[in-house]
């Protein structure tokens, strides 16, 4: 019976809504009639003005009256729109109450279901009809408003305005604009002068800083790098900072200050219709804070004096607008004090700056490559008074079709940057985050106690994983909130300080539970529901949750929930548009991972892990790391204090899955995808901190290759951890991995264990030689082959390298090709090569700017080092004189050279006799490369003699010399005269 009564009540409320909608319609019709009457009176006035000229003062009064009537018509239209929204909300409320009635006990539902359902459907139909009538009334009111405005314009056009009156009107407008500008600046100053940071403290949920006190300059560079984010944004890139510093040193990139964004020197294309700038950056890097700082600095008169007004919008707020709107009302919704002054601002668009923050969060897609937007009027917005979709307004502003001459700033995460590829963007910039000392500066500002700040930063700096995270301001904030309690004077528990990302976030959640968990009976159940909702969001790439999502997972807004999620008002004037979001995507991913250990029925967790791991877009990458990390007791123990024990079955299955993944991937790294998969699995091992699991999984690995895969410093730290647990490793191939010096420093502790170390083409620079030298000096060093070709090395590193080579007893092969060591570098290396304990058998110095000046040092080394069997000196400028000196060492009966490469070193016929004389007596030479020199037929007899007399020679390269065809034939004819002999001409 109660259900039937509530259904009846819902029907009555729907009837009342219908009556109120009818009343709204009648009021709208009356407004229309009044607007019609206004138009008729305007027409009559126009006729009278044609007959006789009225005093200018009276005309001014009528113009003001017409303006007031137009404003009144607009206010009535806005009121009708608000009434429409109220009708829709009440209808929705009726529907929700009816749905609630359906959820009552089954017995009552069976008695009244049919009747209540019919009444509910009828109520819904009447509410929908009322809504449609209200919408029609709003449309008629808009038409009436437009007609009244047209009448106002005709009235103004009919009135003669004297020059004196015109100047008086212009003066009044200028005064009004100045007053509004002052009010606008004060409003923006108040809105932006503080920075709110969500904390994990029960007595201080939000910590408020003065923006000028906490704000730390982030590095913004004048380009957007071509990066396809197939991996998670958290993994982007402390290493990029080293690359930026190097390019900045070479003046290939410029750092941009916030007041320089719209300078023409940074513009990639010139435009007479205004500037559009795009600033990109990964999540948490500081895009929104940068926008806040720009707005604050403009409001306080520090930057951009040429902009008369700045309007800032967040795409997250614009998502709440589900109807057509014009730019005028879009501004008035946020800044109602502008009123009709906007019409005057439209006349000077060059003084306007529009900021749109967070393109990646916009619900609508803006296709700048859609040609229809340039040809079909319904897709364009050229008048700030035109009603259209929000996406059309944004598109038209950026493309300079709306208010040409204005400036636009758009921010976005890299994942949405492709949307702007075809846009009229003439300034591109990227936020790199904190570089160098900026990280330390942030912690000094974050903590009032500088001793705590120093202790936290020291711990972060010593932990390669945490330090690399610190390029991102949000990660710095998480670190500050999580690590601070460990370093306060009264409670120093530094032995428990987090070392992995999972441990860090576990600590963060632990503090929330510690402060808020006691207010509810079962934090485990509530956190499970939050985690299930978070997992759905990760699966669907969803970061904003609404009331419907909370209802679906039986969640209620509470102080406990607010510890994990932030409430956001999508519109300031509507309490019904509250949405929820996690403070950061990584927190959402951690809670989603945590839910897997709290559910009483885990289902097939291995299937879930396999499917998540198979996604190639990176959406589950950090989620999986958290899942494996939470299988470790070190990460789980603090949380179990409040949530109870983690499901043992899930822990075992997660560990089994990781073990199986490693075993299936080891030795199968033939493709880049396979290499990335193996690297991700190593990250899982690192997060688990389970040495037993790691030893079982990789303890017997002999070869690891990640060549061609771009590695971050975090990746290198993880590799170092894995290699450190492996005693059988023989070869590590990291060629062309862009690891740079910072990555090599992370690898440093494990390098000495590898027998073959391939590090070519990594831009290590001279500073990168230091960690390598430390590995070579290690008494337990096992490195036998070290390949450092194409690493930007100069003579500055050779002294340190020479010292390490002198102490090393294992190295037999050293490739330093394609660097810039020069003659002075070889001179510094030669003492190590002359060392009697030196065991180097293969030395590659090709393409190193060497000349004949270094050959004396090489000859000295060759005369002493009798173990050398391979010498590559190609692509240098040794010339005939250099080879004549070298021949003396090659003539030594004890010389064991087997492979000699002298291609493209400037040889002519002048050195042939010396070279042939030295090599003819050699009994070990098997490979000789003399290609790309200037030998002619004059050298042919001597070279033929060398080929015939040097019985050990199996291959000789003579191509790209100056032999005639006859000379080539003479050489070629010797091929086959001896078994396995190959002559290349």
């Amino acid at each position: 019976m109660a259900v039937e009564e509530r259904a009846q009540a819902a029907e009555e409320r729907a009837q009342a809504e219908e009556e109120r909608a009818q009343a709204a319609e009648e009021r709208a019709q009356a407004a229309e009639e009044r607007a019609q009457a206004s138009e008729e009176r305007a027409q009559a006035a126009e006729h009278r003005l044609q007959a006789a000229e009225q005093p200018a003062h009276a005309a001014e009064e009528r113009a003001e009256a017409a303006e007031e009537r137009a404003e009144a018509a607009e206010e009535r239209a806005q009121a009708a729109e608000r009434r429409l929204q109220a009708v829709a909300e009440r209808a929705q409320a009726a529907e929700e109450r009816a749905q609630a009635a359906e959820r009552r006990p089954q017995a009552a539902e069976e008695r009244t279901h049919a009747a209540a359902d019919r009444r509910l459907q009828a109520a819904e139909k009447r509410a929908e009809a009322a809504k449609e009538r209200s919408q029609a009334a709003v449309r008629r009111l808009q038409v009436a408003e437009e007609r009244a405005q047209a009448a106002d314009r005709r009235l103004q056009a009919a009135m003669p305005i004297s020059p004196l009156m015109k100047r008086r009107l212009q003066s009044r407008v200028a005064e009004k604009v100045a007053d509004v500008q002052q009010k606008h600046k004060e409003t923006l100053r108040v809105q932006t002068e503080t920075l709110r940071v969500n904390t994990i403290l029960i007595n201080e949920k939000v910590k408020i800083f003065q923006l000028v006190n906490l704000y730390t300059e982030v590095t913004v560079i004048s380009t957007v790098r071509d990066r396809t984010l197939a991996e998670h944004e958290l993994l982007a890139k402390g290493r990029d900072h080293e690359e930026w510093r190097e390019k900045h040193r070479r003046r290939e990139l410029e750092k941009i200050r916030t007041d320089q964004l719209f300078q023409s020197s940074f513009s990639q294309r010139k435009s007479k219709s205004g500037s559009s700038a795009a600033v990109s950056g990964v999540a948490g890097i500081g895009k929104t804070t940068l926008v806040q700082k720009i707005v604050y600095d403009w409001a306080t008169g520090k930057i951009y004096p040429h902009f008369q007004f700045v309007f800032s919008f967040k795409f997250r707020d614009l998502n709440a607008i589900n109807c057509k709107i014009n730019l005028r009302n879009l501004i008035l919704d946020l800044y109602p004090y502008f009123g009709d002054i906007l019409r005057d601002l439209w006349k000077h668009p060059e003084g306007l700056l529009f900021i749109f923050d967070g393109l990646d969060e916009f619900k609508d897609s803006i296709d700048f490559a859609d040609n229809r937007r340039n040809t079909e009027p319904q897709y364009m917005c050229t008048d700030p008074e035109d009603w259209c979709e929000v996406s059309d307004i944004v598109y038209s502003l950026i493309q300079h079709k709306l208010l040409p001459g204005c400036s636009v700033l758009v921010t976005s995460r890299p994942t949405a940057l492709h949307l702007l590829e075809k846009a009229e963007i003439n300034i591109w910039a990227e936020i790199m985050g904190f570089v160098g000392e900026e990280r330390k500066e942030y912690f000094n500002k974050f903590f009032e106690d500088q001793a705590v700040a120093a202790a936290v930063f020291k711990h972060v700096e010593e932990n390669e994983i945490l330090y690399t995270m610190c390029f991102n301001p949000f990660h710095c904030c998480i670190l500050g909130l999580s690590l601070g309690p460990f370093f306060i004077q009264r409670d120093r528990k530094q032995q428990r300080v987090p070392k992995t990302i999972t441990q860090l976030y576990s600590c963060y959640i632990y503090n929330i539970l510690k402060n808020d968990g006691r207010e509810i009976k079962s934090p485990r159940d509530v956190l499970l529901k939050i985690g299930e909702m978070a997992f759905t969001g990760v699966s669907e790439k969803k970061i904003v949750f609404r009331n419907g999502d909370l209802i679906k997972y039986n969640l209620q807004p509470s102080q406990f929930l607010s510890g994990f999620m932030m409430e956001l008002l999508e519109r300031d004037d509507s309490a019904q548009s509250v949405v929820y979001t996690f403070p950061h995507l990584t927190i959402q991913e951690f809670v989603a991972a945590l839910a897997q250990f709290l559910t009483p029925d885990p289902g097939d967790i291995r299937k879930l892990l396999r499917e998540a791991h198979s996604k190639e877009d990176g959406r589950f990458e950090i989620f999986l790391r958290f899942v494996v990390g939470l299988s470790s007791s070190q990460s789980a123990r603090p949380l179990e204090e409040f949530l109870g024990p983690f499901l043992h079955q899930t822990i075992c299955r997660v560990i089994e899955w990781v073990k199986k993944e490693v075993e299936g991937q080891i030795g199968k790294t033939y493709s880049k995808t396979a290499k990335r998969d193996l690297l991700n699995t190593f990250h899982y091992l690192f997060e688990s901190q389970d040495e037993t699991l790691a030893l079982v999984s990789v303890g017997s690995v002999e070869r690891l290759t990640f060549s061609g895969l771009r590695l971050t410093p975090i990746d290198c730290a993880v590799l170092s951890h894995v290699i450190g647990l492996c005693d059988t490793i023989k070869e590590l191939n990291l060629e062309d991995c862009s690891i740079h010096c910072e990555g090599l420093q992370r690898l440093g502790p494990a390098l000495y264990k590898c027998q073959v170390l391939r590090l070519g083409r990594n831009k290590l620079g001279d500073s990168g030689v230091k960690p390598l030298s430390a590995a070579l000096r290690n008494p337990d060093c096992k490195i036998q082959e070290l390949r450092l070709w194409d690493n930007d090395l100069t003579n500055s590193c050779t002294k340190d390298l020479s010292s390490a080579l002198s102490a090393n007893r294992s190295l037999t092969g050293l490739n330093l090709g394609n660097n810039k060591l020069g003659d002075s570098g070889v001179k510094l290396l030669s003492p190590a090569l002359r060392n009697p304990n030196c065991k180097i058998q293969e030395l590659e110095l090709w393409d190193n700017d060497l000349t004949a000046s270094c050959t004396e040092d090489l000859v000295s080394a060759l005369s002493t080092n009798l173990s050398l069997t391979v010498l590559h000196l190609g692509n240098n400028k040794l010339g005939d004189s250099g080879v004549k000196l070298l021949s003396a060492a090659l003539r030594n009966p004890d010389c064991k050279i087997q492979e000699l490469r002298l291609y493209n070193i400037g040889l002519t016929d002048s050195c042939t006799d010396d070279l042939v004389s030295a090599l003819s007596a050699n009994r070990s030479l098997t490979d000789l490369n003399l290609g790309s020199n200037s030998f002619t037929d004059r050298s042919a007899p001597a070279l033929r003699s060398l080929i015939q007399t040097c019985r050990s020679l199996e291959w000789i390269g003579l191509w790209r010399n100056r032999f005639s065809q006859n000379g080539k034939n003479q050489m070629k004819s010797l091929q086959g005269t001896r078994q396995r002999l190959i002559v290349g001409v």
Side-chain angles (χ1 to χ4, degrees):
M1 191 64 180
V3 174
E4 186 175 3
E5 289 174 356
R6 281 191 289 274
Q8 178 64 33
E11 183 179 2
E12 290 173 357
R13 284 192 294 275
Q15 179 64 34
E17 302 300 338
E18 183 179 4
E19 292 172 357
R20 282 194 287 274
Q22 180 64 33
E25 183 179 1
E26 291 172 357
R27 288 195 296 275
Q29 187 173 355
E32 183 178 2
E33 292 171 356
R34 287 196 296 275
Q36 179 66 32
S38 172
E39 182 178 4
E40 292 171 356
R41 287 195 297 275
Q43 290 173 347
E46 184 176 355
H47 293 317
R48 288 195 300 276
L49 281 167
Q50 290 173 352
E53 183 178 6
Q54 297 297 323
H57 182 68
E60 180 180 357
E61 291 178 349
R62 281 195 298 277
E64 291 177 351
E67 181 179 357
E68 291 172 357
R69 287 196 298 276
E71 289 178 356
E74 181 182 346
E75 290 173 357
R76 289 194 296 276
Q78 292 175 347
E81 186 178 353
R82 287 193 293 271
R83 288 196 296 275
L84 166 64
Q85 185 176 355
V87 168
E89 290 171 354
R90 286 194 290 272
Q92 184 179 356
E95 181 181 353
E96 290 175 353
R97 287 194 292 274
Q99 289 175 349
E102 292 177 1
R103 292 195 292 268
R104 293 294 185 270
Q106 185 66 32
E109 183 180 350
E110 290 173 355
R111 289 194 302 271
T112 62
H113 177 74
D117 189 48
R118 285 193 298 273
R119 291 192 189 95
L120 179 59
Q121 289 176 356
E124 288 176 347
K125 289 179 181 177
R126 285 195 293 276
E128 183 64 29
K131 179 178 178 181
E132 291 174 357
R133 285 196 294 275
S134 296
Q135 289 174 338
V138 170
R139 287 193 293 271
R140 286 198 297 275
L141 196 56
Q142 289 175 357
V143 173
E145 177 189 4
E146 291 170 357
R147 290 167 57 190
Q149 290 174 352
D152 180 40
R153 287 193 293 269
R154 285 197 298 274
L155 183 62
Q156 290 178 353
M159 294 178 184
I161 301 178
S162 67
L164 178 61
M165 182 184 296
K166 187 174 182 180
R167 286 194 299 272
R168 194 187 313 164
L169 287 173
Q170 289 174 342
S171 177
R172 288 175 56 190
V173 169
E175 290 176 2
K176 193 172 181 180
V177 168
D179 291 341
V180 171
Q181 186 191 55
Q182 184 176 356
K183 181 174 179 61
H184 188 51
K185 285 191 171 184
E186 178 60 22
T187 300
L188 294 183
R189 184 192 65 77
V190 172
Q191 289 177 351
T192 58
E193 65 184 354
T194 56
L195 198 60
R196 299 167 64 87
V197 176
N198 293 295
T199 75
I200 47 181
L201 306 175
I202 191 169
N203 59 344
E204 193 179 18
K205 283 287 184 184
V206 176
K207 195 170 183 179
I208 298 177
F209 296 89
Q210 289 297 310
L211 178 67
V212 294
N213 293 336
L214 184 63
Y215 184 79
T216 304
E217 287 289 344
V218 290
T219 293
V220 183
I221 59 175
S222 57
T223 185
V224 175
R225 288 158 299 145
D226 182 17
R227 178 201 299 143
T228 300
L229 283 179
E231 56 183 351
H232 192 284
E233 287 184 351
L234 176 62
L235 311 179
K237 309 299 178 261
R239 188 204 56 72
D240 284 341
H241 296 141
E242 179 131 338
E243 180 179 349
W244 175 83
R245 281 195 296 270
E246 179 62 21
K247 287 189 175 182
H248 181 61
R249 184 180 64 81
R250 298 197 301 260
R251 298 185 179 179
E252 293 176 17
L253 289 178
E254 288 190 77
K255 182 175 179 178
I256 305 180
R257 299 195 312 268
T258 53
D259 62 332
Q260 297 176 318
L261 267 177
F262 291 96
Q263 284 188 7
S264 59
S265 60
F266 294 109
S267 179
Q268 296 182 8
R269 66 172 77 166
K270 303 300 179 183
S271 173
K272 296 181 180 179
S273 56
S275 296
S276 292
V279 176
S280 77
V282 299
I285 202 70
K287 298 183 295 295
T288 298
T289 306
L290 179 69
V291 166
Q292 182 177 341
K293 186 65 162 57
I294 289 174
V295 173
Y296 177 81
D297 284 349
W298 175 82
T300 54
K302 296 178 181 177
I303 62 173
Y304 300 146
H306 58 288
F307 289 133
Q308 192 175 21
F309 288 95
V310 172
F311 301 106
S312 182
F313 303 93
K314 293 182 179 179
F315 279 107
R316 182 175 287 189
D317 297 332
L318 298 179
N319 286 338
I321 302 175
N322 298 313
C323 57
K324 289 189 175 182
I325 195 170
N326 58 24
L327 180 59
R328 181 174 185 272
N329 285 329
L330 197 63
I331 293 174
L332 290 177
D333 277 355
L334 286 178
Y335 315 110
Y337 45 80
F338 273 88
D340 274 348
I341 201 69
L342 287 173
R343 291 194 179 94
D344 296 290
L345 301 188
W346 305 152
K347 300 174 185 177
H348 304 284
E350 67 279 356
L352 305 179
L353 170 61
F354 294 91
I355 301 176
F356 295 96
D357 182 32
L359 175 63
D360 51 281
E361 296 180 359
F362 193 34
K363 65 180 181 181
D364 297 327
S365 177
I366 306 177
D367 186 359
F368 289 90
D370 188 351
N371 290 328
R372 293 181 303 171
R373 288 188 175 274
N374 298 319
T375 57
E376 300 181 24
Q378 67 267 32
Y379 293 101
M380 289 188 288
C381 178
T382 57
D383 189 329
E385 307 287 339
D386 286 349
W387 294 76
C388 54
E389 302 294 338
V390 173
S391 59
D392 296 331
I393 294 174
V394 176
Y395 169 88
S396 299
L397 283 171
I398 293 175
Q399 297 296 83
H400 312 302
K401 298 181 183 297
L402 176 59
L403 298 178
C406 74
S407 295
V408 182
L409 171 61
V410 182
T411 72
S412 174
R413 284 163 61 174
T415 47
L417 209 58
H418 66 280
L419 298 174
L420 296 173
E421 286 179 355
K422 300 295 183 180
E424 291 292 324
I425 303 292
N426 43 2
I427 298 171
W428 295 89
E430 180 177 4
I431 303 178
M432 295 288 289
F434 293 150
V435 177
E437 289 298 308
E438 292 167 357
R439 307 178 188 192
K440 185 176 182 179
E441 180 185 348
Y442 180 91
F443 286 105
N444 288 340
K445 290 182 176 181
F446 190 87
F447 294 102
E448 294 180 6
D449 188 335
Q450 292 302 292
V452 174
V456 170
F457 182 73
K458 183 174 183 295
H459 174 76
V460 169
E461 194 174 28
E462 290 173 351
N463 185 304
E464 55 273 10
I465 298 292
L466 303 185
Y467 184 71
T468 304
M469 288 175 62
C470 281
F471 76 92
N472 190 306
F474 179 79
H475 298 158
C476 287
C477 180
I478 291 287
L479 285 163
L481 293 171
S482 301
L483 299 180
F486 288 99
F487 292 94
I488 56 177
Q489 293 293 331
R490 60 182 178 275
D491 186 22
R492 290 187 177 272
K493 301 175 181 177
Q494 297 183 29
Q495 70 279 4
R496 291 168 43 204
V497 177
K499 295 181 179 179
T500 70
I501 299 174
T502 307
Q503 291 175 11
L504 175 68
Y505 279 71
S506 178
C507 175
Y508 179 80
I509 299 299
Y510 168 82
N511 281 288
I512 294 176
L513 294 169
K514 181 179 179 181
N515 292 314
D516 293 337
R518 294 183 176 85
E519 73 165 67
I520 55 174
K521 292 181 180 179
S522 179
R524 182 186 183 107
D525 292 341
V526 176
L527 200 52
L528 171 59
K529 296 171 184 176
I530 297 173
E532 289 173 340
M533 184 175 71
F535 178 77
T536 300
V538 173
S539 303
E540 300 174 359
K541 289 190 171 181
K542 178 178 179 180
I543 62 172
V544 176
F545 302 90
R546 304 182 182 278
N547 278 320
D549 297 307
L550 267 63
I551 292 170
K552 179 180 178 181
Y553 291 95
N554 295 319
L555 289 168
Q556 295 291 332
S558 64
Q559 184 177 358
F560 181 72
L561 182 66
S562 67
F564 296 92
M565 304 188 74
M566 300 184 297
E567 293 183 5
L568 300 175
L569 283 176
E570 287 197 320
R571 272 216 172 165
D572 294 338
D573 60 351
S574 174
Q576 299 300 315
S577 57
V578 176
V579 297
Y580 303 86
T581 183
F582 291 88
H584 194 264
L585 177 60
T586 49
I587 294 177
Q588 179 179 335
E589 290 163 324
F590 182 87
V591 175
L594 182 58
Q596 310 308 314
F597 296 88
L598 302 181
T599 176
D601 181 19
D604 192 348
I605 184 70
R606 284 172 293 198
K607 180 182 178 183
L608 182 148
L609 296 174
R610 283 196 305 272
E611 291 177 351
H613 189 63
S614 67
K615 293 289 184 181
E616 295 182 357
D617 59 6
R619 73 180 71 179
F620 287 110
E621 209 161 306
I622 295 301
F623 163 80
L624 288 171
R625 294 187 189 183
F626 283 144
V627 169
V628 179
L630 285 168
S631 69
S632 163
S633 60
Q634 293 169 270
S635 298
R637 191 178 299 115
L639 298 176
E640 288 178 326
E641 179 181 333
F642 294 97
L643 303 176
F646 286 8
L647 203 63
H648 182 70
Q649 180 184 6
T650 300
I651 294 173
C652 293
R653 288 179 177 176
V654 169
I655 292 174
E656 289 172 7
W657 175 78
V658 175
K659 181 182 176 184
K660 187 174 180 181
E661 283 295 315
V662 177
E663 291 173 347
Q665 292 165 6
I666 289 291
K668 298 180 180 179
T669 50
Y670 306 116
S671 68
K672 185 171 286 190
T673 300
K675 293 171 184 176
R676 171 62 63 189
D677 287 343
L678 179 60
L679 182 63
N680 284 335
T681 309
F682 282 177
H683 275 276
Y684 305 153
L685 289 176
F686 178 82
E687 288 298 320
S688 75
Q689 291 291 293
D690 187 336
E691 289 193 12
T692 302
L693 172 62
L695 285 170
V696 170
S697 303
V698 299
S700 59
V701 170
E702 293 187 354
R703 187 174 184 269
L704 290 174
T705 177
F706 295 97
S707 57
L709 188 67
R710 195 166 182 248
L711 301 182
T712 69
I714 291 182
D715 294 331
C716 293
V718 167
L719 277 177
S720 179
H721 171 78
V722 171
I723 295 170
L725 297 172
C726 180
D727 292 327
T728 58
I729 187 75
K730 290 183 179 178
E731 180 177 342
L732 178 63
N733 187 346
L734 301 181
E735 290 186 339
D736 195 18
C737 287
S738 301
I739 61 176
H740 296 243
C741 177
E742 186 176 350
L744 194 64
Q745 288 172 343
R746 306 298 183 225
L747 281 164
L751 294 177
Y752 77 94
K753 302 182 71 172
C754 306
Q755 294 180 21
V756 178
L757 196 53
R758 301 178 184 271
L759 298 173
R761 192 175 288 166
N762 272 301
K763 299 182 180 179
L764 300 179
D766 294 331
S767 56
V769 172
K770 291 189 180 298
L772 282 171
S773 297
L776 291 170
R777 288 192 189 95
N778 190 315
D780 298 321
C781 179
K782 299 177 182 177
I783 301 174
Q784 296 177 16
E785 181 180 339
L786 178 60
R787 300 179 65 85
L788 294 174
W789 56 276
D790 192 11
N791 267 301
D792 296 335
L793 306 183
T794 72
N795 63 330
S796 299
C797 74
T798 49
K799 185 176 181 180
D800 196 30
L801 182 59
S802 180
S803 172
L805 293 176
S806 298
N808 183 273
R809 297 292 180 269
S810 61
L811 193 67
T812 59
L814 179 61
N815 185 339
L816 295 171
N818 198 20
N819 285 295
K820 305 297 177 186
L821 301 183
D823 296 335
S824 57
V826 172
K827 187 176 187 68
L828 290 169
L829 276 178
S830 59
L833 298 174
R834 289 196 300 267
N835 190 314
N837 296 318
C838 179
K839 292 182 172 57
I840 289 182
Q841 299 173 12
E842 300 181 9
L843 179 62
E844 300 189 38
L845 295 172
W846 48 274
D847 199 4
N848 257 294
D849 293 339
L850 306 184
T851 72
S853 300
C854 75
T855 48
E856 287 188 8
D857 295 295
L858 281 174
V859 168
S860 173
L862 287 172
S863 300
T864 308
N865 187 328
L866 301 179
S867 62
L868 197 67
T869 59
V870 177
L871 181 61
H872 288 199
L873 296 172
N875 275 348
N876 286 297
K877 298 177 182 179
L878 301 182
D880 294 334
S881 59
V883 169
K884 286 180 179 180
L885 290 170
L886 192 62
S887 298
L890 296 174
R891 196 175 283 111
N892 188 329
D894 295 323
C895 178
K896 295 183 175 60
I897 287 290
Q898 297 176 12
E899 183 178 324
L900 181 63
R901 301 206 170 188
L902 300 175
Y903 58 89
N904 194 27
I905 62 171
L907 303 184
T908 71
D909 296 331
S910 298
C911 73
T912 307
D913 291 340
D914 292 292
L915 184 61
V916 169
S917 172
L919 295 178
S920 295
N922 190 288
R923 296 293 176 264
S924 58
L925 187 68
T926 58
D927 290 60
L928 176 62
N929 189 341
L930 297 174
S932 299
N933 285 296
S934 299
F935 293 119
T936 70
D937 288 354
R938 287 178 53 194
S939 297
L943 291 172
R944 280 175 55 86
S945 173
L946 171 63
I947 295 171
Q948 292 170 326
T949 57
C950 186
R951 308 300 295 176
S952 59
L953 191 64
E954 297 177 355
W955 179 89
I956 182 170
L958 294 168
W959 57 83
R960 296 192 185 126
N961 276 286
R962 297 182 180 180
F963 298 116
S964 67
Q965 189 59 47
N966 181 50
K968 291 180 181 179
N969 291 339
Q970 289 183 40
M971 299 294 180
K972 196 70 175 177
S973 66
L974 294 176
Q975 183 164 313
T977 58
R978 199 166 57 244
Q979 189 177 7
R980 293 185 301 184
L981 175 62
I982 297 174
V983 180
V985 289

